[in-house]
């Protein structure tokens, strides 16, 4: 019941602790109504200030000036009812009103100018400086485009006052002025302290992060742009007071070619379409939406379903028309009010921008919105081919070029054969006698279809196509081609057999394949006897490289040998790695024959193929020395060939071995070369996703966090494109870990939230899901988002509830949930989780974790209740001592000295907060002694315990001389232990005491 002033004040206090949003605003309105009947102007003043803040931070700018007018009336009639802080707010919020009036096109400019004049008069009467007034005049000038330079000079050259905007916000305005003046570099330099986190406020850095996105892209700082999008968007999503910023993130998605991500953001912010309290911010939001939708429609996606204003379903084309009409209306209203075209000019400039990148910027996020292939084909993630295979328009030239590239083994042939098939299907590719028999082209296309089907793991269908190709080649009198096609079908069928351990050699299908391959070898020997093969390289004579020329016959012969070697390799894979005997011997025999014949016939890349298979088997059997030797020899073979594109796979394989040997520098060099060659030679079949993942690992080992983030983000995007969503999630988990370790916790949380989106999480196994939730919960805790962290811990508890074989996880989850619930001021739930953790510890001990939880509760209890919570805090610490003392002497994963020192340290701080300084000093000294037992591992916590002891001794007991002596000795010890940062902290406190 709000029937007394005290009840209203208490309700105001509770409402102030709520996050800004609809509930807080509605309650604030109700509390103003409740405060009005009382003859207590001070209560009404507090209620009006709370309501005005709610309007300000939820974008209800139309209503804010009315509330402030009531405050001004009370200021004039009952100034004594304003506290010192409230009096300051009266002058501070003059600025809010000016910016609110600018938001509403129905408010004439003379009225806004009059308001600024009133602000100036009141500031002068109260003796305040004029810089905030000059700032308001600049904001008007910047909005209207009239007199901007002069207004900027008058504002920027005046000294700051206590009523100036906070430094972070003022920095944003200064930088944004530079952006709009075309000086991206200067703006980014001005923004540095805000973007780096050196200064901030309730609105920063998220407002600056949104505005800096495009300047960062234009400056080529894509890593920073990615980071500020990930961290900044989390702070503005769904916030009606941040419509402008959400629009800027949408624009960034469109211009970084992340339209799918933009559609996700649109869906998450659907309520913003109905937020009409700040028309100018609404216009900026709609313009961001318009930029995104225009990109989609231009790329042929007008029919794509999108999220728009609630109440109906929308596609991109319909929503674009709707948004454009509304934005046109608002733009015209502002231009009419301002008598300038500044607003429409700014909107036109935004809409005229095209994508700033050639390919999508990998964000590291799961893409839940998938566009149709039309858009993806123009903007596939990753590097573009340096020399994309040219596709001739003339059909005869197209086929001839495809055959030439096939003879050379160039990966670009794939694109040409695909186009040939399309031309024939469309009826735009008529056969020509200059291309030889029509059945030859049909056979070549069947072989190409077989290859694509095999890549899609549709092996039976692939076999059918190869048999068709073999029959056509046989009919054309091309026995080598026919034999190679049949042998390839057998090899791929071998790869399709299921692994069955020791019983694999008894599989009738495997026996049949082996018999077929042996027969193919006998046929190859017969053909060789009839017409010996010599020399395998294509020369200048076109006849040598014709479809049935000598070089092509050599190529098909070696293809037969490779198929036999590949099938033997697959058979060896189906056996346990430690197995020996005929299967392994068969592989070695085939690999040696392929290698020897490739060398005899001067086709070194086939020798490299044999070595790659041998290397892989050796690696799987634990013989990394041979695996590395084979790969290095394979790369020498590739270098000796005329096919440099063949080096990408062995380089990636060798890099993987080197990473296992902790040699990341050479591994990274190899991986960069592999990716570069795959792009240079248009190798669409090279496994980009795992290669980028390996490169991310290499960068991590090299300490290159930015490179690791870039490469792991690319890998995740690639895995998603390939439909390998579980691998993508695993890479994102690694990405989040790298981000967290490098201090980008907000980025890590954004990635994990993407991983754990409902539809994505459903595909995970329980262990991966649990690890993702645990990492996310801890990340949210690190960001100070305690309630969301607690909610994630509770979801984690549900995930692990059935893990009867791993009760230790229950202890961990309950303990961490208890602490974070207390941090979120949910003490009843925290107490329940605390008891659950203690009970779980009795079944699955984790003493270090439980001791930490109990110490945290002692700290948090003092923080919440002050000295009144002393007994409860000491009880928690007594329980921690009990847990510590009960640990057996031979317990693993428990460090007695550290646990003892931790409890003494916390008890010292708790007692000091209750002004029980002598007892606190004794506990601090006990902590120092405990940590000394840890030797070099205890030096850092020992130094911290010394610092607390000195603070108690100096500030609590007034014994500065003793405290200085203690700090002097401890700082010297830290320097001797090579702990300069700890020494610096102790020296700073010592110097402070000396000055006293």
């Amino acid at each position: 019941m709000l029937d007394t002033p005290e009840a209203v004040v208490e309700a105001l206090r509770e409402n102030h602790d709520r996050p800004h949003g609809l509930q807080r605003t509605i309650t604030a309105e109700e509390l103003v109504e409740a405060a009005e009947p009382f003859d207590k102007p001070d209560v009404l003043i507090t209620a009006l200030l709370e309501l005005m803040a709610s309007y300000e931070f939820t974008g209800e700018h139309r209503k804010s000036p009315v509330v402030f007018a009531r405050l001004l009336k009370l200021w004039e009639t009952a100034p004594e009812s304003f506290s010192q802080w409230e009096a300051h707010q009266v002058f501070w919020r003059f600025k809010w009103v000016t910016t609110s009036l600018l938001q509403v096109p129905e408010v004439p400019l003379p009225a806004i100018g009059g308001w600024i004049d009133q602000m100036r008069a009141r500031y002068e009467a109260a003796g305040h400086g004029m810089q905030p007034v000059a700032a308001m005049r600049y904001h008007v000038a910047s909005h209207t485009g009239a007199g901007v330079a002069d207004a900027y000079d008058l504002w920027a050259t005046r000294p700051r006052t206590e009523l100036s905007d906070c430094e972070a916000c003022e920095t944003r305005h200064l930088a944004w002025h530079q952006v709009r003046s075309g000086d991206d570099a200067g703006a980014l330099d001005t923004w540095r302290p805000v973007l780096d986190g050196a200064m901030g406020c309730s609105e920063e850095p998220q407002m600056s992060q949104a505005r800096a996105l495009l300047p960062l892209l234009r400056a080529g700082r894509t890593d920073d742009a990615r980071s500020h999008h990930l961290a900044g968007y989390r702070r503005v999503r769904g916030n009606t007071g941040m419509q402008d910023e959400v629009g800027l993130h949408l624009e960034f998605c469109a211009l970084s070619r992340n339209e799918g991500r933009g559609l996700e953001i649109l869906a998450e912010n659907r309520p913003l379409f109905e937020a009409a309290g700040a028309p100018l911010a609404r216009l900026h939001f709609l313009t961001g939406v318009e930029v995104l939708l225009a990109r989609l429609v231009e790329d042929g996606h007008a029919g794509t379903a999108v999220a728009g204003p609630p109440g109906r379903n929308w596609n991109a084309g319909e929503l674009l028309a709707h948004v454009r009409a509304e934005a046109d209306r608002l733009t015209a209203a502002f231009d009419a009010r301002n008598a300038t075209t500044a607003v429409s000019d700014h909107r036109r400039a935004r809409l005229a921008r095209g994508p700033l990148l050639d390919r999508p910027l990998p964000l590291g996020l799961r893409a839940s919105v998938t566009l149709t292939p039309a858009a993806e084909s123009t903007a596939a993630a990753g590097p573009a081919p340096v020399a994309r295979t040219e596709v001739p328009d003339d059909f005869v030239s197209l086929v001839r070029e495809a055959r030439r590239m096939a003879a050379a083994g160039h990966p670009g042939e794939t694109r040409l054969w695909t186009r040939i098939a399309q031309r024939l299907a469309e009826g735009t590719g008529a056969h020509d006698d200059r291309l030889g028999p029509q059945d030859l082209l049909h056979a070549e296309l069947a072989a190409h279809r077989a290859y694509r089907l095999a890549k899609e793991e549709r092996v039976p269908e692939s076999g059918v196509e190869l048999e068709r190709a073999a029959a056509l080649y046989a009919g054309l009198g091309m026995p080598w081609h026919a034999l190679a096609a049949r042998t390839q079908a057998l090899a791929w069928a071998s790869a399709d057999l299921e692994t069955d351990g020791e019983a694999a050699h008894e599989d009738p299908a495997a026996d049949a394949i082996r018999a077929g391959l042996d027969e193919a070898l006998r046929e190859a020997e017969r053909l060789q006897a009839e017409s010996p093969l010599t020399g395998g390289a294509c020369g200048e004579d076109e006849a040598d490289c014709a479809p049935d020329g000598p070089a092509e016959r050599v190529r098909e012969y070696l293809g037969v040998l490779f198929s036999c070697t590949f099938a033997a390799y697959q058979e060896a894979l189906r056996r346990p790695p430690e197995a020996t005997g005929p299967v392994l011997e068969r592989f070695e025999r085939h690999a040696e024959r392929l290698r020897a014949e490739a060398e005899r016939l001067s086709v070194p890349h086939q020798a490299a193929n044999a070595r790659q298979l041998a290397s892989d088997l050796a690696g799987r059997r634990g013989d990394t020395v041979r695996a590395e030797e084979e790969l290095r020899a394979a790369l020498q073979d590739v270098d000796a060939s005329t096919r440099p594109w063949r080096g990408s796979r062995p380089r990636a394989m060798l890099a993987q071995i080197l990473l296992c040997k902790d040699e990341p520098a050479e591994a990274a060099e190899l991986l960069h070369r592999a990716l570069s060659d795959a792009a240079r030679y248009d190798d669409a079949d090279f496994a980009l996703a795992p290669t980028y993942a390996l490169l991310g690992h290499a960068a991590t080992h090299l300490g290159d966090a930015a490179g690791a983030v870039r490469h792991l983000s690319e890998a995740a995007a690639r895995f998603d494109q390939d439909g390998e969503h579980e691998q993508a999630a695993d890479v994102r988990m690694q990405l989040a870990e790298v981000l967290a370790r490098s201090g980008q916790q907000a980025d890590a949380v954004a990635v994990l939230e993407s991983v754990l989106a409902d539809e994505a999480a459903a595909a995970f196994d329980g262990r991966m899901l649990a690890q993702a939730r645990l990492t996310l919960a801890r990340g949210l805790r690190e960001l100070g988002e305690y309630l969301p962290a607690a909610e994630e811990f509770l979801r984690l508890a549900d995930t692990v509830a059935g893990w009867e074989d791993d009760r230790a996880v229950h202890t961990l989850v309950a303990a961490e949930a208890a602490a974070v619930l207390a941090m979120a001021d949910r003490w009843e739930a925290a107490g329940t989780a605390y008891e659950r953790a203690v009970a779980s510890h009795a079944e699955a001990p984790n003493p270090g974790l439980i001791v930490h939880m109990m110490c945290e509760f002692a700290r948090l209890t003092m923080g919440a209740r002050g000295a009144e919570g002393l007994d409860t805090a000491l009880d928690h610490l007594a329980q921690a001592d009990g847990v510590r003392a009960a640990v057996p002497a031979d317990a693993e994963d428990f460090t007695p000295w550290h646990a003892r020192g931790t409890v003494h340290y916390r008890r010292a701080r708790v007692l000091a907060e209750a002004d029980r300084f002598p007892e606190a000093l004794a506990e601090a000294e006990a902590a120092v002694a405990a940590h000394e037992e840890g030797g070099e591992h205890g030096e850092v916590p020992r130094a911290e315990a010394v610092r607390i002891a000195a603070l108690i001794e100096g500030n609590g007991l007034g014994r500065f001389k003793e405290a200085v002596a203690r700090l002097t000795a401890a700082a010297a010890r830290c320097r001797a232990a090579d702990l300069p940062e700890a020494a610096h902290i102790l020296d700073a406190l010592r110097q402070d005491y000396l000055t006293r």
Side-chain angles (χ1 to χ4, degrees):
M1 294 292 291
L2 301 175
D3 51 2
T4 66
E6 292 75 17
V8 173
V9 170
E10 180 59 30
L12 284 166
R13 186 177 295 111
E14 291 178 3
N15 197 45
H16 183 75
D17 291 336
R18 293 191 178 100
H20 284 292
L22 184 60
Q23 181 183 359
R24 178 169 171 175
T25 300
I26 291 173
T27 303
E29 290 173 337
E30 293 171 348
L31 291 175
V32 167
E33 292 180 9
E36 286 174 333
F38 306 117
D39 188 18
K40 297 282 291 185
D42 55 332
V43 176
L44 181 57
I45 289 165
T46 303
L48 288 169
L49 285 168
E50 171 66 21
L51 178 58
M52 189 177 181
S54 295
Y55 286 154
E56 177 72 16
F57 291 105
T58 55
E60 292 287 353
H61 291 281
R62 290 181 182 274
K63 301 177 180 179
S64 188
V66 177
V67 178
F68 190 69
R70 295 182 65 184
L71 275 170
L72 276 185
K73 186 174 181 181
L74 287 166
W75 175 252
E76 292 167 355
T77 59
E80 71 285 352
S81 298
F82 286 75
S83 69
Q84 184 177 357
W85 180 84
E86 290 168 341
H88 177 80
Q89 286 299 303
V90 169
F91 290 99
W92 183 269
R93 296 191 185 189
F94 264 100
K95 299 181 295 180
W96 289 11
V97 175
T98 301
T99 53
S100 291
L101 294 173
L102 270 181
Q103 284 276 344
V104 183
E106 293 84 0
V107 178
L109 280 183
I112 299 173
W115 183 261
I116 297 175
D117 290 341
Q118 183 183 167
M119 175 183 173
R120 177 186 179 91
R122 289 183 181 268
Y123 272 41
E124 282 181 336
H128 293 303
M130 292 295 108
Q131 195 258 14
V133 178
M136 293 304 102
R137 296 198 189 283
Y138 165 74
H139 292 324
V140 173
S142 178
H143 171 69
T144 62
V148 178
D150 289 343
Y152 176 80
D153 288 341
L154 286 173
W155 162 51
T157 57
R158 288 179 182 267
R160 287 175 47 78
T161 76
E162 64 173 351
L163 289 170
S164 296
D165 284 345
C166 80
E167 284 193 75
C169 288
E170 194 158 272
T171 296
R172 176 181 76 248
H173 296 313
L174 291 167
W176 193 236
H177 176 83
Q178 291 172 290
V179 170
R180 297 190 67 171
S181 301
D183 183 11
D184 284 345
L188 293 172
D189 188 57
T190 300
W191 252 320
R192 184 177 294 114
V194 176
L195 297 179
D196 289 352
M199 61 173 66
C201 65
S202 63
E203 296 180 331
E204 289 294 348
Q206 60 267 32
M207 293 182 77
S208 287
Q209 286 173 318
R211 284 161 176 74
L213 292 172
L214 296 189
L216 286 166
L217 283 186
R218 290 192 289 261
R221 291 170 54 182
T222 52
D223 290 344
D224 290 329
R226 176 197 301 108
S227 176
H228 290 308
H229 170 66
L230 294 180
Y233 173 67
R234 289 190 69 253
R235 300 283 298 273
V236 304
R237 65 183 173 197
N239 187 339
T240 55
M242 294 280 178
Q243 286 179 281
D244 198 342
E245 287 68 30
V246 173
L248 290 168
H249 281 281
L250 288 168
E251 183 176 7
F252 164 79
C253 290
L255 302 188
S256 66
R257 295 189 182 273
N258 279 284
E259 292 89 346
R261 166 68 170 166
L263 292 181
E264 292 174 2
I265 291 176
L266 204 59
E268 289 179 333
N269 293 274
R270 201 171 188 184
L272 267 58
F273 283 104
E274 298 182 305
L280 185 58
R282 176 176 173 79
L283 172 60
H284 292 160
F285 165 69
L286 293 176
T287 302
V289 176
E290 192 174 352
V291 171
L292 173 67
L293 295 175
R295 290 291 317 145
L296 291 171
V297 171
E298 184 177 334
D299 284 344
H301 297 291
T304 299
V306 298
R312 58 161 288 188
N313 295 326
W314 300 86
N315 64 36
E318 293 166 344
L319 184 57
L320 176 60
H322 174 82
V323 165
R324 185 167 284 162
E326 173 69 2
D328 284 345
R329 183 188 65 78
L330 286 170
T331 301
F334 280 110
D335 281 353
R337 191 269 301 272
N338 301 335
T340 68
T341 60
V343 173
S344 56
D345 290 344
H346 179 58
R347 176 164 170 254
R348 262 193 305 275
R350 289 180 69 181
L351 294 174
R353 292 175 184 142
L356 298 172
L357 302 174
D358 292 333
R359 322 210 83 69
L361 172 65
L363 300 176
L365 302 175
R366 183 189 63 85
S368 63
V369 177
T370 302
L371 298 176
T372 55
E376 294 176 345
S377 66
T378 62
V386 174
R388 181 180 288 271
T389 304
E390 292 186 10
V391 181
D393 290 329
D394 176 67
F395 188 71
V396 171
S397 300
L398 174 60
V399 174
R400 283 177 171 170
E401 181 63 10
R403 286 174 176 169
R404 186 191 69 78
M405 297 192 89
H410 194 292
E413 68 167 302
T414 299
R415 193 181 307 281
L416 300 184
W417 289 117
T418 300
R419 183 56 186 150
I420 290 168
Q422 289 173 344
R423 292 280 298 271
L424 289 172
E426 295 166 356
T428 59
H431 181 71
D432 191 294
D433 290 341
R434 289 174 291 172
L435 297 175
Q438 190 167 7
D439 279 352
L440 174 60
L441 183 56
H442 289 162
E444 291 165 324
L445 288 170
H448 172 69
R449 285 194 299 274
Y451 177 73
R452 301 317 306 171
L453 289 165
K455 292 290 290 182
E456 297 169 12
E457 299 183 358
R458 295 160 63 183
V459 173
E461 297 169 74
S462 173
V464 171
E465 291 293 336
L466 283 170
E467 290 297 336
R468 178 179 293 122
L472 288 168
Y473 282 131
L476 291 165
M478 300 171 68
W480 278 116
H481 290 71
L483 179 60
R486 291 197 303 272
T487 313
Q488 192 173 57
L490 290 168
W492 287 349
S494 176
D496 200 40
L497 293 178
E498 293 186 8
T499 300
D500 193 20
E502 291 292 344
H505 64 291
E506 300 174 359
D507 184 351
D511 292 342
I513 290 171
R514 196 181 307 114
L517 291 168
D518 289 343
E519 175 59 31
L521 282 176
R522 287 191 290 272
E523 175 69 8
E525 290 166 359
R526 186 185 66 77
L527 290 172
Q528 274 229 78
E530 292 178 358
S531 179
L533 300 172
T534 57
C538 268
E540 295 297 326
D541 188 349
E542 286 190 17
D544 288 344
C545 299
D548 195 27
E552 276 295 278
R553 290 195 291 274
V554 167
R555 186 170 80 115
E556 299 303 321
Y557 165 58
L558 291 176
V560 170
L561 296 186
F562 176 77
S563 291
C564 292
T565 308
F566 180 75
Y569 160 79
Q570 291 294 334
E571 189 172 7
L573 286 184
R574 293 195 292 275
R575 304 295 298 278
E578 67 278 5
T580 59
V583 171
L584 197 61
E585 292 169 5
R586 179 182 177 85
F587 168 76
E588 294 289 357
R589 188 168 62 252
H590 281 296
E592 178 55 35
R593 182 173 182 177
L594 172 60
R595 199 159 45 236
E597 286 293 87
E599 290 170 357
R600 179 180 73 84
L601 296 167
S602 302
V603 186
H605 76 269
Q606 280 288 18
N609 289 341
R611 294 186 187 280
Q612 288 178 63
L613 296 178
S615 171
D616 187 60
L617 278 183
R620 291 171 187 270
R621 297 169 64 82
D623 187 355
T624 56
V625 173
R626 183 188 174 190
E628 181 177 348
E629 288 174 351
E630 292 282 10
L631 286 172
R632 292 194 184 279
L635 286 171
Q636 290 178 352
D637 290 334
V638 170
D639 289 342
S641 75
T642 56
R643 303 183 176 193
W645 49 83
R646 292 280 185 173
S648 293
R649 286 162 184 79
R651 284 191 177 90
M653 292 171 66
L654 178 56
Q656 194 165 11
I657 292 173
L658 292 173
L659 282 174
C660 292
K661 292 175 60 182
D662 197 22
E663 298 179 21
E666 186 183 357
E669 183 180 344
L670 288 165
L671 292 165
H672 278 297
R673 172 73 184 278
L675 289 165
S676 174
D677 283 352
R680 177 176 295 110
Y681 300 115
D682 199 8
D683 188 351
D685 292 328
F686 180 65
L688 291 171
T691 307
Y692 275 113
L694 283 174
L695 189 52
H697 297 320
T700 301
H701 288 299
L702 289 169
D704 178 10
V709 169
R710 188 161 54 250
H711 302 316
L712 291 173
S713 298
E714 184 75 59
R718 288 282 180 182
F719 275 125
D720 273 339
Q721 287 176 19
D722 296 340
E724 303 287 353
H725 300 302
E726 191 163 340
Q727 288 89 332
D730 184 59
V731 168
R732 289 190 173 98
M733 293 283 291
Q734 299 167 42
L735 171 60
E737 184 180 344
V738 171
L739 288 165
R741 281 205 310 267
S742 62
Q744 297 171 267
Q745 193 64 258
D747 299 34
V749 165
V751 170
L752 288 166
E753 287 175 336
S754 168
V755 168
L756 285 167
D758 291 342
E759 58 271 30
F764 295 169
D765 65 57
R767 300 284 167 175
M768 179 181 280
L769 181 61
Q771 185 59 56
R773 290 209 184 284
L774 177 61
T775 309
L776 174 57
R778 288 172 171 172
L780 290 165
R781 181 183 62 199
E782 291 299 311
L783 292 176
E785 299 180 29
Y786 300 126
L787 192 54
E791 291 170 352
E792 207 57 54
F793 272 118
L794 294 176
R795 293 189 187 99
L796 176 58
D798 289 339
T799 300
V800 304
W803 292 12
E804 296 300 330
D805 61 332
D806 197 353
R807 302 293 301 175
V809 173
H810 295 210
T811 307
L812 180 148
V813 173
E816 296 209 33
V820 81
L821 282 163
M823 293 173 185
D825 203 27
R826 299 295 194 270
W827 284 96
E828 184 176 349
T832 301
Y834 183 103
E835 295 303 326
R836 188 182 303 121
V838 172
S840 182
H841 168 68
E843 296 182 27
N846 191 332
L849 180 68
I850 296 298
V851 166
H852 175 76
M853 177 192 74
M854 291 170 170
C855 289
E856 275 292 277
F857 264 72
R859 177 182 72 84
L860 295 166
T861 297
M862 293 300 292
R865 298 172 56 192
E868 293 181 6
L870 177 63
D871 290 342
T872 302
L874 292 175
D875 181 60
H876 286 305
L877 294 170
Q879 291 182 60
D881 272 330
V883 170
R884 177 184 58 77
V887 179
D890 59 349
E892 296 182 359
D893 300 325
F894 182 74
T895 311
W897 63 263
H898 185 270
R900 190 167 67 258
T902 298
V903 177
H904 282 305
Y905 171 83
R906 181 52 56 196
R907 189 177 284 113
R909 297 200 63 161
V910 163
L911 289 166
E913 289 179 54
D915 294 341
R916 289 168 56 171
F917 299 118
E919 298 166 82
L921 182 58
E923 288 293 327
E925 290 176 334
V928 173
H931 289 308
E932 280 184 355
E933 296 178 23
E936 62 177 334
H937 301 294
E939 287 297 332
V940 171
R942 180 191 183 279
E944 170 59 13
V946 170
R947 186 183 72 87
I948 291 300
L951 284 169
I952 294 168
E953 202 164 31
N955 296 345
L957 298 173
R959 291 164 24 190
F960 292 104
K961 182 177 179 181
E962 292 85 346
V964 166
R966 185 190 299 274
L967 291 164
T968 301
R973 178 169 176 150
C974 287
R975 280 188 286 273
D978 195 24
L979 298 171
E981 186 176 351
H984 174 74
I985 292 170
L986 296 172
D987 281 335
L989 180 57
R990 172 180 174 275
Q991 191 60 40
D992 178 44
Y993 281 174
L994 286 172
T995 60
R996 300 192 192 185

